[in-house]
Amino acid sequence: MFEKSRSLLSRAQRVIPGGVNSPVRAFKSVGGTPPFIAKAKGPHMWDVDDNKYIDFVLTWGPAIIGHADDRVVERCQAAMARGSSFGAPTEIEIDLAEMVVDRVKGVDVLRLVSSGTEACMSAVRLARGAVHREKIIKFKGCYHGHADCFLIAAGSGALTLGLPNSPGVTKGTAKDTLLASFNDLESVEALFKSNKGEIAAIIVEPICGNTGCIPPQEGFLQGLKTLCEENESLLIFDEVMTGFRVGRGGAAERYGVTPDLFCFGKVIGGGFPLAAYGGREDLMRQIAPDGPIYQAGTLSGNPVAVSAGIETLKRLDESAYAELERLGSYLEKGMDEIITRRSLPLSQTRVGSMFGLFFTDKKIDRHEDVAACDLEKFNTFFHAMLKRGVYYAPSQYEAGFLSLLHSEAILDEVLEHADAVLGEVFS
Ligand code: KE4
């Protein structure tokens, strides 16, 4: 089933760390050989051994209108024929920026960059430079890319001082990142109390998407905003995954909480290397060349990526989000029926077309709860579904995604496989 992928993996491992260009693709947490993908179209991918998959990863979120959309392909080909990058301003960068400003309340000005990491690290630099403080608060289990200040594990002790969670991250960097628990406002208040006047910002995924999918509890996001206002710190929503995924205006609109700064990625680039950060005008005007806070990028806003982003966002109108909600609910209800009929120790989370399936019967409120899941059973489920042509994210700590093309017929196929597989896994 995976012969060609196996031989490609050993060839790849000779010249690329782990044979992959991003660690999660190596299937380390689920084991086995990652399929090398040959092509994708709509809700499907095919690997080099010609196995076909219903794709719930969607390149970790971007392919919300489906892979290789005809109009996106057309627009990108036309843009490419005019030159892929000029290192100079273009009109379509303004078009995309105006689309985001129009869709997202609280974004007055934004800057396009090339990855979610770049967006998040730039937003943190801006916050620190604007309020002249050095510390930030992030949440255990939230991921904001691989910038040093984010690769921090929870330290011990009440102060929850950060510790590097990767070699190469200095203690000097780690001391300025504090760790709190998601959906736990007291853990945030404690950090503000023990670091009075030193915290520049909170950065948070408004819906956790990197420890499975964990929605915010009622009042949590507003509570963060209030704590920031009381402490003259800034609130940064990392909407790299949720932006334009969970609604036209992202999670900020869905939960009615407007942060000071936003980070976007994934969907905004329609599968191309394109991300952005933006927010309050008084803050964004401090970014060079308007202001002194530096950030730059050779390929930022390149016309091919921007063309893909514009075409994708154009397709994401209210009817598209209603359809994504309908399909998400269809899958959730179908899984719920199986879980109830078979009385399985599984719990589901979902926000629109972003979902989590956790191998525990406990409620999932934060990262610590996910760590208590039966990861072995998840791995068995993952591989059994993969063999049946359903490609879940290769980790219990990742979210799943639907596209507009994951029709009810396709979801029925998934549910049939899931029913059979879960029967075996829990027999
Ligand atoms: P990138 O630098 O990978 O474009 O974005 C980093 C990032 C920032 N913020 C959030 C909320 C994110 O989810 C991400 C990246 N997400 C992972 C998926 N869990 C990307 C997959 C990967 O690392 O290969």
Side-chain angles (χ1 to χ4, degrees):
M1 186 163 179
F2 300 119
E3 291 69 29
K4 282 203 187 132
S5 285
R6 253 197 287 282
S7 70
L8 284 176
L9 182 61
S10 49
R11 189 177 135 209
Q13 284 168 329
R14 283 199 288 278
V15 286
I16 303 171
V20 291
N21 285 312
S22 199
V24 72
R25 304 178 192 171
F27 276 26
K28 284 281 177 253
S29 89
V30 289
T33 302
F36 277 61
I37 301 303
K39 64 178 182 176
K41 182 73 180 170
H44 295 111
M45 293 199 293
W46 287 261
D47 69 17
V48 292
D49 291 290
D50 214 20
N51 300 304
K52 181 180 179 182
Y53 303 101
I54 295 165
D55 180 15
F56 276 153
V57 177
L58 295 178
T59 177
W60 304 100
I64 192 168
I65 63 172
H67 288 292
D69 173 84
D70 293 343
R71 266 186 282 170
V72 172
V73 171
E74 214 177 283
R75 277 195 77 138
C76 290
Q77 283 172 333
M80 183 64 221
R82 294 192 293 271
S84 65
S85 175
F86 314 118
T90 61
E91 184 179 355
I92 56 167
E93 291 166 79
I94 313 168
D95 297 342
L96 179 56
E98 287 171 344
M99 286 173 84
V100 175
V101 168
D102 170 63
R103 293 171 82 109
V104 186
K105 176 169 163 268
V107 178
D108 307 324
V109 175
L110 79 154
R111 167 64 58 82
L112 301 181
V113 293
S114 298
S115 73
T117 297
E118 239 190 306
C120 293
M121 69 187 235
S122 306
V124 163
R125 181 182 307 140
L126 170 55
R128 285 170 160 162
V131 300
H132 310 291
R133 294 177 180 175
E134 299 188 355
K135 290 185 176 172
I136 60 169
I137 294 176
K138 77 173 285 289
F139 292 85
K140 289 171 216 159
C142 283
Y143 177 69
H144 308 292
H146 64 92
D148 282 6
C149 63
F150 302 132
L151 297 182
I152 307 297
S156 57
L159 300 189
T160 327
L161 281 179
L163 295 172
N165 77 355
S166 161
V169 174
T170 65
K171 290 197 192 64
T173 300
K175 69 174 176 40
D176 288 334
T177 301
L178 307 171
L179 275 291
S181 284
F182 192 75
N183 279 327
D184 175 356
L185 283 173
E186 279 169 26
S187 72
V188 184
E189 264 173 300
L191 291 175
F192 274 114
K193 278 207 183 72
S194 49
N195 297 273
K196 245 182 187 356
E198 297 181 72
I199 294 171
I202 293 177
I203 183 166
V204 66
E205 292 180 60
I207 302 160
C208 290
N210 287 283
T211 181
C213 169
I214 306 179
Q217 284 171 350
E218 182 69 31
F220 176 65
L221 298 176
Q222 184 52 53
L224 295 181
K225 178 159 180 159
T226 307
L227 282 170
C228 284
E229 286 164 347
E230 288 167 356
N231 290 278
E232 296 176 317
S233 303
L234 298 177
L235 180 58
I236 303 171
F237 273 7
D238 173 356
E239 293 226 42
V240 166
M241 192 181 274
T242 55
F244 318 112
R245 162 61 63 181
V246 298
R248 193 173 178 282
E253 178 189 64
R254 184 179 267 264
Y255 296 104
V257 176
T258 304
D260 301 293
L261 291 171
F262 294 77
C263 307
F264 300 111
K266 298 178 191 283
V267 169
I268 194 176
F272 277 77
L274 190 151
Y277 66 103
R280 279 173 30 197
E281 171 138 25
D282 64 307
L283 295 171
M284 290 302 292
R285 291 293 176 213
Q286 300 189 45
I287 290 290
D290 279 350
I293 301 172
Y294 197 70
Q295 178 269 313
T298 306
L299 296 174
S300 297
N302 77 79
V304 180
V306 169
S307 301
I310 288 174
E311 186 53 39
T312 299
L313 290 191
K314 268 167 58 178
R315 307 278 279 285
L316 293 172
D317 57 15
E318 289 312 338
S319 64
Y321 289 109
E323 177 63 1
L324 288 163
E325 174 55 38
R326 192 182 68 80
L327 294 170
S329 165
Y330 187 88
L331 178 66
E332 182 180 27
K333 289 198 172 78
M335 285 302 284
D336 216 27
E337 189 280 326
I338 297 169
I339 293 168
T340 311
R341 172 164 42 83
R342 291 180 175 276
S343 14
L344 299 174
L346 294 176
S347 70
Q348 297 191 88
T349 57
R350 180 177 69 83
V351 182
S353 58
M354 172 177 172
F355 62 91
L357 176 66
F358 296 96
F359 279 63
T360 177
D361 52 2
K362 307 252 176 327
K363 198 167 167 315
I364 299 281
D365 287 322
R366 56 185 63 83
H367 171 69
E368 293 83 330
D369 300 333
V370 184
C373 287
D374 185 335
L375 302 184
E376 211 180 301
K377 280 204 167 42
F378 170 81
N379 293 354
T380 309
F381 170 78
F382 170 81
H383 282 292
M385 292 299 278
L386 191 70
K387 285 200 176 69
R388 288 168 173 255
V390 183
Y391 194 107
Y392 276 85
S395 167
Q396 175 73 98
Y397 292 96
E398 295 290 351
F401 303 99
L402 295 179
S403 79
L404 284 170
L405 301 180
H406 281 71
S407 64
E408 284 180 14
I410 285 177
L411 298 179
D412 284 339
E413 206 183 318
V414 170
L415 291 165
E416 205 180 309
H417 289 311
D419 195 1
V421 167
L422 289 169
E424 289 157 20
V425 170
F426 287 98
S427 61

